[in-house]
Amino acid sequence: MNTYRTADPVSDTAEGVTVPPFAVIPGGQVRQALDGREKEIVEVVEAAYRLHGAGRTVNPPSSFLRFPDRAASRMIALPASLGGGSPVDGLKWISSFPENVRSGVPRASAVLILNDPGTGYPFACLESSIISATRTAASAVSAADRLSRDRTRPTRVGFFGTGLIARYIHTFLEGSGWTFDDIGVYDVSAESAAGFRLYAEQSGSAAPVTVHHAPEELIRTSDLVVFATVAGEPHVDDPAWFDHNPVVLHVSLRDLAPRVLLASTNIVDDIEHCLRAATSPHLTEQLTGNRNFVHGTLEDVMAGRVTVPADRPAVFSPFGLGVLDLAVGSFVYDRVARSGELRIIDDFFHERRRYG
């Protein structure tokens, strides 16, 4: 049950329906609620995947707002409904402006709205760039674990792209108990690669950090490869770079050419969602005319319906499901509410009675 239902309601209508209080949770509170709880958040995300696999979610296609004068930028609306013991509806509204990084500002910014499934009223607005990065990292770490269970556990991780998402994935890997002999990084920006190296060294990681100057070098020396770029189209097209059969977390979705995917075992988060919007799997479907190259979803792997062989690369391509944002956002809301520090906006809903 959502925590707000145990608090004093803002008002009761004449019909006896409770309008929930409306809260705003800023980024500082979000970070505090999530900090150091990597293993717990991975479990939250996996539980959401199981509900999704069981048909207890609603996750419509994302809606993209694009701009003719800003071709590289976009805003995305992800509506969703999550069932289970604490049902919640909601919407993530996230923008991606890659040019921000030139000024040292993160590419993405976001808010998450949580709605009461009983009345439809929104009861919280959360800063969500942290939630979005967290659910992405937790999903990636879950995939790294599940896809490597039938092979030697990776000991060399390589980050292709070194922005905020890469940082969160590294944090979640180490926070979930992963250890590495080497951390490799590659970025088209030498400054970004150096910044990530400094972050990794200051994070307390015991592994040495190697900055690579060529993509092939990074991939061939990593048995866990994380793609976290802003690429708009495939730029890695040689399957031979993956001859050592690494686990590949294809988080940015548009880095790998179809012939790389065709030489790999492909796992996605949701087939219908992932094979759209010119993702690498979508381009592969267009090339082949079928979806036979997709072997299943991460939830299929979790449930044992799909096994991942060790004799070829294993690629996880997650489109990113809004239900994961709801799951992590609800976790944050509940923690903040229990702390007694929920910031209620009094009288946010001014018209609370149908006839005044």
Side-chain angles (χ1 to χ4, degrees), residues 18 35 40 50 77 106 131 135 198 207 217 219 232 258 303 308 324 329 338 354:
T18 298
D35 190 41
E40 195 172 354
R50 291 189 180 95
I131 290 172
R135 63 86 151 146
L198 180 62
E217 184 180 273
I219 293 170
V308 181
L324 302 186
R338 286 196 299 269
R354 187 178 182 190

Side-chain angles (χ1 to χ4, degrees), residues 9-20 116 118-119 121 352-354:
V10 171
S11 68
D12 289 317
T13 67
E15 292 81 8
V17 175
T18 298
V19 175
D116 169 27
T119 64
Y121 271 80
R352 296 194 299 267
R353 292 181 181 274
R354 187 178 182 190

